[in-house]
Amino acid sequence: MKLMEQVHTDANHFPNPPEPDRSWITVADAVARCSELGLSRTPKTVRKWAARSFANPDSPDIAVLREDTGNGFRWSIELSSLDRKIAEELEFERRKQSEPDLTGANRSEPRQTSSPFDSIPELPAHTREPVRTDQHQGVE
């Protein structure tokens, strides 16, 4: 079974209709489907999945058709492959939430509430000359 097809058309029809047993949807419908199943994705992300799948037919994320139009092209996405991708993404998010964050701050230690600037003495209100330190001796 071929997952990827490139389709060139003049307008809005397929010269060789997609297989009748497969349901094809638009990017907008794919975004709505993601939302229905609990996965928040934008049209940009769905188009990225489609483009990556089209460019890598040996390991596609989803089954897509690229339909050329008068002002560019549009993607059609095979519904069952989208459902599989959504399930994979949801599983990835579930695992990500259950794994400990090993790169963040140590949350078992109390958070430091003081500032390193707390120990700097305040200058008198009417100081006219800069404060001199040992490092600046002899420099005028």
Side-chain angles (χ1 to χ4, degrees):
M1 176 161 80
K2 185 177 177 183
L3 287 179
M4 305 298 296
E5 299 178 41
Q6 183 170 6
V7 178
H8 297 280
T9 64
D10 297 328
N12 297 326
H13 69 282
F14 294 100
N16 301 316
E19 299 170 31
D21 61 330
R22 296 168 85 181
S23 296
W24 297 89
I25 60 174
T26 65
V27 169
D29 292 337
V31 171
R33 179 74 173 174
C34 288
S35 182
E36 288 170 10
L37 297 176
L39 183 67
S40 176
R41 293 297 183 266
T42 64
K44 182 178 178 180
T45 299
V46 174
R47 284 191 294 270
K48 191 183 300 183
W49 292 344
R52 186 172 49 220
S53 296
F54 190 77
N56 299 307
D58 293 335
S59 60
D61 288 335
I62 54 177
V64 299
L65 296 174
R66 179 182 169 155
E67 180 183 5
D68 289 340
T69 63
N71 59 352
F73 67 90
R74 67 178 166 202
W75 297 111
S76 291
I77 301 165
E78 200 268 325
L79 185 59
S80 65
S81 70
L82 177 66
D83 286 345
R84 180 184 40 77
K85 176 67 174 169
I86 292 169
E88 290 171 0
E89 292 285 315
L90 289 170
E91 176 64 18
F92 177 76
E93 285 185 359
R94 186 188 63 74
R95 285 184 184 172
K96 195 167 110 178
Q97 289 175 355
S98 66
E99 292 177 0
D101 181 11
L102 301 177
T103 60
N106 185 351
R107 293 187 180 115
S108 63
E109 295 289 323
R111 200 177 84 166
Q112 180 179 352
T113 57
S114 63
S115 165
F117 300 107
D118 290 345
S119 62
I120 297 175
E122 290 189 29
L123 296 175
H126 300 290
T127 304
R128 294 184 184 208
E129 289 189 40
V131 177
R132 298 188 187 264
T133 63
D134 291 340
Q135 295 176 349
H136 295 82
Q137 285 181 348
V139 178
E140 290 288 323

